[in-house]
Amino acid sequence: MLDITITETRDFVKKLLMDNTFDRFLAMEAFVKSGITYSFDGRVNKDFYDKEELELMASTSYASWESIKPHVYNVIRGKKLPLSFKIVLVLSQPDIMDMLEKNHLTIPVSDVANLTLNVYYDGMSIQLTSMATQNIFTMDKTLEHVWDAEIRDFLKTAGIYFTES
């Protein structure tokens, strides 16, 4: 599990909420605490969509960050900064499969529950944590280490500056 502090908050928030930097992720949930608390549940309500719409989605479990992002942005923008926000992003199944293959991991994709990136702003700084959860019990931490390395590489490639705790 990574514990990262973002060193350039303004640039990171721009990349998170305005640019397409994080659009490959799915949105599990988001909370914004300002004058009131806003809560976004990223779970897809499958009954809302017809068959064709569901087939076009990257995931039928969670909405894309790209589709949720404008709503979160509208809540966060304004004259005052929010007191805090938390955004939980997950990697899609196709991206998990690509990562496993790229890193020559023999873990079945069905054994991977989630690869998560948590973004937390406490009113002062932004912290990122990563988590790799599996559907089976294992003492093997290879998936966790690979996911942490993927996050580091992603942030560096995106030009996001950070320090690790």
Side-chain angles (χ1 to χ4, degrees):
M1 182 172 102
L2 286 178
D3 184 9
I4 288 175
T5 301
I6 299 300
T7 56
E8 294 182 18
T9 303
R10 183 177 297 246
D11 181 60
F12 177 83
V13 171
K14 180 182 181 295
K15 289 177 179 176
L16 178 68
L17 296 174
M18 298 169 73
D19 296 346
N20 64 357
T21 308
F22 290 84
D23 286 358
R24 79 180 236 207
F25 288 95
L26 303 175
M28 184 180 281
E29 61 186 17
F31 302 94
V32 179
K33 185 176 180 184
S34 55
I36 62 173
T37 300
Y38 298 86
S39 174
F40 299 87
D41 182 348
R43 284 179 283 190
V44 172
N45 295 317
K46 294 176 190 166
D47 295 338
F48 182 78
Y49 300 98
D50 61 37
K51 183 180 175 185
E52 292 79 23
E53 290 172 313
L54 287 170
E55 288 173 357
L56 293 173
M57 291 182 175
S59 168
T60 56
S61 297
Y62 298 109
S64 68
W65 172 243
E66 181 180 18
S67 68
I68 300 280
K69 176 176 64 175
H71 305 290
V72 175
Y73 174 74
N74 282 333
V75 169
I76 288 178
R77 73 178 184 166
K79 293 180 182 177
K80 288 184 166 186
L81 292 174
L83 297 172
S84 65
F85 65 77
K86 178 183 177 185
I87 299 167
V88 180
L89 303 172
V90 295
L91 203 58
S92 69
Q93 286 296 101
D95 284 341
I96 291 172
M97 290 186 330
D98 290 346
M99 188 193 81
L100 294 174
E101 187 176 304
K102 179 179 101 178
N103 290 283
H104 310 291
L105 298 179
T106 57
I107 302 165
V109 72
S110 60
D111 287 352
V112 180
N114 282 312
L115 296 178
T116 309
L117 178 63
N118 300 296
V119 179
Y120 181 69
Y121 171 70
D122 64 4
M124 302 279 290
S125 66
I126 295 178
Q127 299 291 129
L128 304 181
T129 57
S130 64
M131 186 180 307
T133 54
Q134 296 188 50
N135 293 319
I136 60 166
F137 176 78
T138 180
M139 296 294 289
D140 185 0
K141 300 290 185 194
T142 304
L143 179 63
E144 181 178 329
H145 297 306
V146 167
W147 177 231
D148 291 348
E150 289 284 325
I151 292 295
R152 282 186 201 97
D153 290 346
F154 168 74
L155 295 174
K156 288 175 185 173
T157 300
I160 296 171
Y161 299 98
F162 61 92
T163 59
E164 283 190 60
S165 301

